[in-house]
Amino acid sequence: MCEKCKGNYYITTPIYYPSANLHIGHAYCTVATDTMARYKRLQGYNVKFLTGTDEHGQKIEDKAKEAGVTPQQFVDNIVLGEKGVLDLWKLMNISYDRFIRTTDDYHVAAIQKIFKKMYDNGDIYKGKYTGKYCKPCESFWTESQLVEGKCPDCGRDVQDAQEEAYFFRLSKYADRVQDLLENTDFLEPRSRVNEMVNNFIKPGLEDLCVSRTSFTWGVPVDFDEGHVVYVWIDALFNYMTALGFENDKYDDLAAFWPADVHFVGKEIVRFHSIIWPAMLMSLDLPLPKKVYGHGWLNFNGEKMSKSRGNVVDPYLLSERFGVDALRFFLLRTFPFGSDGNFTNELLMATINTDLANTLGNLVSRTTAMNQKYFGGSLNAGGESAELDGELKALAAEVFANYEKQMDKFQFSIALNEVFRLLDRANKYIDETTPWILAKSEETMPRLLTVMKNLCECIRMAAILITPFMPETAEKIFNQLNVSAEARSWNARCYCADESAVWNTTVGTPLFPRLDVEKELAALEELSKPAKPALEIEPYSEENVDFDTFCKSDFRAVKVIDCKNVKKSDKLLQFTLDDGTGTERQILSGIAKFYKPEELIGKTLVAIVNLPPRKMMGRESCGMLLSAIHSEGGEEKLNLIMVDDAIPAGAKLC
Ligand code: MSP
């Protein structure tokens, strides 16, 4: 550890399950972790921030099969492909230090060793599994844990499962885990402790089934062919294998384990606060210092889910409003431990109120006034007043409160503090009325100090928003033209006295005000599902010779009458004028595409020299031409209709 470092800090985010595209809910946890990592770095900690992907399990195997690719190809595409996991973290400015994929060789080999160790120490044993299994959650449940017969996590159907399997002696660790939860700060917020103890431990912790034989996409148990390791064991140990536990790829375990905190969503607290510590106890390993279970983001009051079609796309929002605004909104608006309701209206209101009006305005008013009254250069000198002391005291208080709240992961309250300072600075402008001070030479020294106080407040606020909005903080620092030192956590000493000098420039507005109505309409338009892919029939590879083709007699025909054929839901019966003076009857299997009445009077195209054929006991003399394709897997058909000016019987060639 270097002399300047405050110490090592290890923080993790759940490794994402690459079964579909990421939405704003996944980004929420990762943005929070990133903000914490940046905050700790700012304070001088040597931070290791781990994220990654959890790539095994039956769900992935099934999805790959559906997509006609191998499971490895399937996960590679979601992790590495365009707009995949790595792309999104880049876009969202996620400053992870390490990215683990559970399909990485070093991790797979380490999991095999870990499994064997627990088998050798007697905590994993072979038995028979009978119970209920929730496929989407990859979770086993006992009958008593089901809620109205459904998976207690996701509410979906569960299925009966019985097979030879390995079990982990979770029951053996029940008392120690309960003690850990109840008598330490291991799990936060505190409300989650009651949930875990009352719902899972008190009813009796049963041993956990930790291997499967019904699919193969997992880490093979190397001493018993056909078994793969339960995906949650594979996943949880990522936090240690990524530091070098049971592998030579990395060598950071001594420096960074135990983790300072695992941030996890509320539905996976059970795995992190019961199963994870129990397995570490089994291997006699130090436990992470803390697990923090954050709440869920819903959308317009409903759970976000692909099937409901209401997942919020972080790409769309970042492109439209900027990554910093989105990052800020997530942490400013929703208390981290509770559920939050995401709406586009709230997002825009927050951008307008906090970012455009309060922060953006303060920066642009201040730099514009510096420019106007001092050509951007605030030199030594000035004249202080009592009011200035109030700003200075507030800045110190804000820093202390911010730190306290950040250390408790209370991002929204920490940001409230920053806005107390920004609001006070805006009020200070109204109180000191720089435009009046600028009118007289005599009050110019006072104006100089007022502007220095404003610059100092902005600089302090920019330090505090750095973890949340790194790009915005940098833009502000650049407009203030301050040194790297003055951007750092150590520069929290407020200095607006006579010795201070500034050279500021006016930049473009940080957050232009949004026209909410217009933006909502634009978002609605952009969120419309893309048109389903068109599929056309493959082209024929067989040539037809010209003379044969010319034998086909295509004619324009006019629909005199059209009706459904009784007892057939497919056939329409057409009475056609083909120009010969005798009516022609054609039957066509297109009833699902047209109502008979809408075709009467239309001019269609028929091939008229096909031999007559009987359908449902009626004669059909020819065939009507239509265009076919499919859209999103659904068959589409359009009759070929030609200009009504074309007379019946006209030959088409
Ligand atoms: N693969 C497991 C984690 C293993 S960690 C050893 C997993 N993956 S996940 O992709 O399903 O979820 C990743 C994270 O996103 C979880 O913390 C989950 O709680 C979070 N979220 C998914 N949807 C969410 C919201 N709508 N809101 C907030 N977070 C949610 O679980």
Side-chain angles (χ1 to χ4, degrees), residues 69-82:
V69 294
T70 65
Q72 191 64 55
Q73 286 168 332
F74 183 81
V75 291
D76 281 352
N77 183 39
I78 296 185
V79 178
L80 312 170
E82 199 190 340

Side-chain angles (χ1 to χ4, degrees), residues 14-17 23 25-26 28 54 232 235-236 238-239 264-265 267-268 272 294-297:
I15 49 172
Y16 168 68
Y17 209 72
H23 57 63
H26 304 111
Y28 178 53
D54 175 9
W232 269 101
L236 286 163
N238 92 88
Y239 299 131
V264 304
E267 87 290 11
I268 57 173
H272 285 82
H294 66 77
W296 267 52
L297 288 191

